Amino acid sequence: LRDQLRDQLRDQLRDQLRDQLRDQLWGQLGDQLRDQLRGQLGDQLGDQLGGQLGDQLGGQLRGQLRGQLGDQLENKFLQNSFDNQYNVAWGAFYVFGHEIGVEYKAENMALLLEWGRLFKSVGWWAPWDGICFVSDRPRKVSFDDGRLLHNEIGKAVEYSDGWGVSAWHGVRVPDHWISDRANLDPNEVIKASNVEQRAAGAAIAGWPKMLSVLKAKTIDDSGDDDIGQLIELTLPGLPDPGRFLKATCPRNGIIVEGVPRVSDIDGLPINTAIAAQAWRIGDPQSEYAHPPRRT
């Protein structure tokens, strides 16, 4: 009986230990092997496939461009279509073809490189029989964060002779609106025929000054400068008064932003300043909570 019990106990312990060790070891070894194989195979396959695909795709692209650009370039040169700065993009396109290995006729290649140097060295140019009109490149070009022409203290585009273009976030405005900004007359701004130019002028002059000459009607006053007021303004050229949120921004001072009469977010009328604030950031009125402090 003792031997039987000993054998049974030994068999049970052996089975339990084998199962436990197998699960633990296989789990650990499986994870290790999987990570190693994944890393090694990933690197090998990445290098091999990347190289192969790069060669194949690069070869195909070069082959296609060689055929297409070669034929098109001959036609372009034969037609003498590189005749002014309008075609600077085409010039860059064909020079790119040359740089990736497209082969052109020697005489056309020489002419293309000359065109390329010309495109890079001058501004606007247009040749005619016996005469060529050429402009130098601007000495300064200014943009806002969205890459729109913009300069708050001078011309957005300026040439060496002083001529240039003044622009406010992509909208061209009279030079003196920028150069003499402190003395810009709001009445001049509201008489501008272009709506976008009027909006730009209002931002340049500043809304405190603009509100002094506009017919403003208060719809709702929150009593808090941060939340602001819902007002209506009568602007020249508009048949009906526009509805605006007027508030104080800690960073930008007084802001005046247009709002709809009915929210496209929850379908409710915008009749209060807090409702206008909700619409401004894209919240339904029922869910909006004005932050206690804004920066």
Side-chain angles (χ1 to χ4, degrees):
L1 180 62
R2 184 176 58 191
D3 292 340
Q4 291 177 353
L5 289 173
R6 183 183 61 202
D7 292 341
Q8 290 177 358
L9 180 60
R10 183 180 62 225
D11 292 340
Q12 290 176 357
L13 289 173
R14 183 179 61 221
D15 292 340
Q16 291 175 359
L17 288 173
R18 183 180 62 212
D19 292 340
Q20 291 176 359
L21 289 173
R22 182 181 61 200
D23 293 341
Q24 293 176 358
L25 289 175
W26 272 114
Q28 295 174 358
L29 289 173
D31 291 340
Q32 293 175 0
L33 287 172
R34 184 170 57 247
D35 292 340
Q36 290 177 0
L37 287 173
R38 183 173 58 223
Q40 293 174 358
L41 288 174
D43 293 339
Q44 293 175 0
L45 289 173
D47 293 340
Q48 293 176 0
L49 290 176
Q52 293 173 0
L53 288 174
D55 292 340
Q56 291 175 3
L57 291 176
Q60 292 174 1
L61 178 61
R62 282 192 296 271
Q64 292 176 358
L65 286 175
R66 282 191 184 113
Q68 294 174 2
L69 289 179
D71 295 339
Q72 292 178 14
L73 185 65
E74 308 302 327
N75 293 332
K76 286 290 182 182
F77 275 117
L78 290 174
Q79 295 168 8
N80 193 27
S81 61
F82 287 160
D83 56 359
N84 56 53
Q85 196 72 356
Y86 273 127
N87 292 304
V88 63
W90 281 113
F93 181 65
Y94 289 115
V95 170
F96 165 73
H98 163 66
E99 292 176 351
I100 65 171
V102 178
E103 296 179 0
Y104 306 129
K105 293 179 181 179
E107 61 272 22
N108 287 342
M109 189 65 252
L111 184 56
L112 174 63
L113 293 178
E114 289 302 323
W115 285 120
R117 281 190 281 270
L118 181 60
F119 285 137
K120 293 177 181 179
S121 63
V122 301
W124 181 261
W125 64 281
W128 299 82
D129 291 340
I131 189 171
C132 183
F133 297 95
V134 182
S135 168
D136 65 349
R137 299 175 71 85
R139 67 180 183 182
K140 181 181 70 174
V141 181
S142 304
F143 301 96
D144 63 11
D145 293 339
R147 296 296 293 174
L148 298 174
L149 287 177
H150 177 75
N151 191 345
E152 300 183 9
I153 58 175
K155 293 183 175 68
V157 180
E158 187 172 353
Y159 287 81
S160 57
D161 64 355
W163 186 87
V165 172
S166 297
W168 185 269
H169 296 296
V171 179
R172 185 171 179 177
V173 297
D175 292 341
H176 69 276
W177 284 18
I178 301 292
S179 62
D180 195 21
R181 182 177 176 182
N183 297 315
L184 178 57
D185 185 354
N187 290 290
E188 180 182 350
V189 172
I190 63 177
K191 291 178 182 177
S193 59
N194 183 281
V195 175
E196 292 184 349
Q197 197 174 67
R198 284 203 303 268
I204 295 169
W207 278 104
K209 186 183 290 187
M210 293 300 300
L211 291 172
S212 67
V213 300
L214 293 173
K215 297 178 181 178
K217 175 184 177 182
T218 301
I219 304 300
D220 175 68
D221 188 346
S222 68
D224 184 333
D225 290 340
D226 190 53
I227 298 175
Q229 300 174 334
L230 181 66
I231 63 175
E232 281 187 350
L233 296 177
T234 301
L235 300 175
L238 296 180
D240 300 309
R243 193 159 282 193
F244 295 82
L245 171 67
K246 175 191 173 187
T248 301
C249 173
R251 183 175 54 205
N252 300 318
I254 293 179
I255 62 168
V256 179
E257 297 185 1
V259 299
R261 293 180 178 271
V262 177
S263 172
D264 56 353
I265 299 168
D266 53 19
L268 297 176
I270 298 180
N271 293 325
T272 64
I274 198 72
Q277 288 281 2
W279 177 85
R280 182 171 178 256
I281 68 165
D283 278 354
Q285 296 180 31
S286 60
E287 298 179 7
Y288 178 73
H290 196 72
R293 180 181 179 186
R294 292 195 304 160
T295 58

